[in-house]
Amino acid sequence: MESQGAGQASELNAKSIEILGEADPEKYPLQPKKHSLEFLREIAHLRMRTNTFGAIFRVRHALAFAVHRYFNDKASSIFIRLSSRDLMLKVRVRHSKSPPLTLAILQKNTDGSVDFKQDFFERETNLTVSGQLEGELAAMALSEIYTFGPTFRAENSNTTRHLAEFWMIEPEMAFYDAEDNADLAEEFLKYLIQYALENCQEDLKFLESRLIEEESSKPTDQRSELNLLDKLKFVVDNEFVRITYTEAIDILRNSNPNKKKKFQYLIESWGADLQSEHERYLVEKHFKKPVILTDYPKEIKSFYMRQNEDGKTVAAMDILFPGIGEIIGGSQREERLDVLTARMDEMNIPKEEMWWFLDTRRFGSTPHAGFGLGFERMVQFVTGMGNIRDVIAFPRTPGNAEF
């Protein structure tokens, strides 16, 4: 029936009640009061019963559906989903402060080396952080593919923007150059956000009201300039600014004319890696639009990125969003065998172990490109949550795999 109370559209007028799952109200962790997000992480198996996490996971579902719908329905292309997965078969180090945990510790050769013939795959097998290289192989045959699956981060990044286990979306496209890659990434991000705005309005308004309450308790100079819905529309309604890494460095170095300390990490020289505070300054203060940064120094990027004609930079890109910094990273891939092998030699990457990857250049290649979108970071942006651990059901982070 129609509700007479505030804040709800309908209510139940029960004639009888049958208790199906009894719980002791004195011991039940979720009491009828406001709980902190930190406390709810300690009971992650129950937190989805709260209004906040119900809203988050409905939005997450909608975004996951929108990913597949975008690639399936894209009129000008036929994207094939590739079920590529990372391998995580041997744990070498559990935590930076823990002793090594080698599963093959008793499997030794007579010279003391590990006998990998006793392992499941009969060789040393390590985890990787993406399915990109396998995606490239498929793109050379199928033209356009995408992966969407769990990945693992081996670094000890204990921040509000990183997880040890997360989901990654990685399209790889043959015949794409760096500009095509940026065009697709911008269109893709806008599509996902627009889908959420159209299909999750009630949940987004609820999350926005929660964030407004949180912001009101902060000092004025620490409050966000945009509410959640305004921030989402900010991305959808603006063309992304495109600048090179070199232009960004000039902007950042000239942003401090009075020599007052604006950044925690100062930009000392060309070639420095940008921090989140630099990325957010470009988006939120300087341009006031999402930014696509291109043409990074080759020394701070991966060996497989296509080298530009200047010999110093590669055709890489990062897309920067307000409040979160980098949300997408990608590049045009190096399709020239001689350039690729020379770069591998420079970086001491053993070509013998990458023979299968080099075969895709040796036996016919084409210009191609791709990017990666961390799904949890996308959900974090759309829901406005301050910690990425609150947008995945059971967060695994350095030193924590409780559930």
Side-chain angles (χ1 to χ4, degrees):
M1 61 181 290
E2 186 176 347
S3 176
Q4 303 302 310
Q8 58 187 28
S10 58
E11 62 184 44
L12 296 176
N13 186 10
K15 292 185 172 65
S16 64
I17 297 175
E18 180 184 357
I19 297 175
L20 299 177
E22 188 174 345
D24 185 344
E26 298 298 322
K27 296 180 179 179
Y28 189 57
L30 293 172
Q31 295 297 320
K33 65 178 183 178
K34 185 174 182 179
H35 293 291
S36 71
L37 295 173
E38 290 78 9
F39 169 73
L40 291 174
R41 284 180 215 128
E42 297 174 5
I43 53 168
H45 58 302
L46 298 174
R47 66 178 180 170
M48 279 180 278
R49 300 181 183 188
T50 66
N51 291 334
T52 296
F53 285 92
I56 289 169
F57 286 105
R58 283 189 292 271
V59 173
R60 182 184 171 106
H61 163 77
L63 288 171
F65 178 80
V67 168
H68 297 299
R69 182 174 176 179
Y70 173 81
F71 287 118
N72 188 71
D73 294 354
K74 190 166 172 56
S76 60
S77 307
I78 302 175
F79 277 83
I80 304 297
R81 184 184 180 191
L82 178 71
S83 297
S84 174
R85 287 206 55 180
D86 293 345
L87 297 177
M88 192 174 69
L89 302 171
K90 189 195 315 290
V91 178
R92 283 295 184 86
V93 179
R94 180 167 58 89
H95 190 275
S96 61
K97 296 181 180 179
S98 302
L101 298 176
T102 306
L103 299 184
I105 194 167
L106 300 178
Q107 302 164 1
K108 301 285 187 178
N109 295 312
T110 54
D111 62 358
S113 61
V114 175
D115 180 12
F116 289 109
K117 284 292 183 183
Q118 303 301 315
D119 281 5
F120 185 81
F121 282 101
E122 299 186 5
R123 58 170 296 164
E124 184 175 11
T125 308
N126 301 304
L127 67 87
T128 172
V129 79
S130 84
Q132 178 207 306
L133 299 187
E134 293 179 4
E136 285 190 52
L137 314 186
M140 290 298 95
L142 302 171
S143 186
E144 293 161 325
I145 67 94
Y146 74 102
T147 68
F148 187 2
T151 56
F152 305 90
R153 182 182 177 89
E155 298 173 31
N156 188 21
S157 299
N158 211 343
T159 79
T160 59
R161 300 189 309 131
H162 294 97
L163 292 163
E165 178 187 25
F166 58 101
W167 287 67
M168 181 78 89
I169 302 149
E170 293 181 288
E172 289 288 330
M173 296 77 60
F175 307 108
Y176 273 52
D177 62 17
E179 188 173 349
D180 299 326
N181 198 34
D183 289 343
L184 183 78
E186 179 175 349
E187 181 184 89
F188 179 49
L189 288 170
K190 288 183 174 180
Y191 179 92
L192 296 183
I193 295 170
Q194 185 62 44
Y195 186 89
L197 285 169
E198 292 175 0
N199 294 276
C200 306
Q201 191 70 208
E202 186 176 339
D203 285 323
L204 291 176
K205 284 181 178 178
F206 169 79
L207 292 168
E208 181 177 67
S209 66
R210 179 190 164 280
L211 291 168
I212 289 172
E213 184 181 342
E214 270 188 12
E215 289 288 310
S216 65
S217 64
K218 295 180 181 178
T220 305
D221 61 341
Q222 294 180 18
R223 295 178 188 175
S224 174
E225 295 180 11
L226 296 172
N227 290 333
L228 178 59
L229 290 171
D230 291 334
K231 187 174 66 172
L232 300 181
K233 292 171 184 173
F234 170 90
V235 172
V236 171
D237 295 342
N238 280 297
E239 264 197 51
F240 294 8
V241 173
R242 303 191 187 195
I243 60 169
T244 66
Y245 166 91
T246 302
E247 291 169 328
I249 290 293
D250 289 340
I251 291 169
L252 292 167
R253 297 184 75 180
N254 294 326
S255 67
N256 202 6
N258 299 322
K259 306 300 180 185
K260 292 181 180 179
K261 189 173 181 181
K262 182 184 288 286
F263 301 120
Q264 180 181 355
Y265 298 95
L266 299 179
I267 300 292
E268 301 290 350
S269 61
W270 189 92
D273 215 347
L274 300 186
Q275 303 295 322
S276 178
E277 60 177 341
H278 306 135
E279 297 168 344
R280 291 185 60 181
Y281 173 83
L282 293 169
V283 175
E284 297 168 26
K285 303 297 183 184
H286 188 81
F287 289 109
K288 298 186 183 297
K289 289 183 179 182
V291 172
I292 302 179
L293 274 186
T294 64
D295 301 317
Y296 280 82
K298 69 177 184 179
E299 303 304 331
I300 61 173
K301 289 298 181 180
S302 300
F303 76 95
Y304 53 75
M305 296 185 177
R306 196 180 202 278
Q307 292 190 48
N308 293 326
E309 297 303 316
D310 60 15
K312 299 191 304 180
T313 62
V314 290
M317 69 153 185
D318 285 335
I319 298 185
L320 315 179
F321 268 17
I324 203 166
E326 178 196 339
I327 195 162
I328 270 183
S331 69
Q332 184 175 343
R333 319 308 191 185
E334 183 59 79
E335 84 280 6
R336 299 165 295 184
L337 179 62
D338 57 337
V339 179
L340 181 60
T341 54
R343 183 62 180 145
M344 291 174 72
D345 288 338
E346 287 178 19
M347 300 180 71
N348 297 315
I349 296 172
K351 297 192 290 293
E352 301 78 17
E353 294 183 14
M354 299 291 289
W355 63 269
W356 53 273
F357 184 67
L358 295 174
D359 271 1
T360 62
R361 276 68 172 170
R362 185 178 292 114
F363 300 135
S365 186
T366 180
H368 58 289
F371 59 81
L373 169 63
F375 185 57
E376 278 71 27
R377 197 168 290 188
M378 186 68 191
V379 179
Q380 185 184 6
F381 177 78
V382 173
T383 59
M385 300 304 292
N387 195 314
I388 200 167
R389 302 173 195 203
D390 295 326
V391 299
I392 189 169
F394 303 109
R396 277 106 189 193
T397 55
N400 175 53
E402 182 68 22
F403 298 99

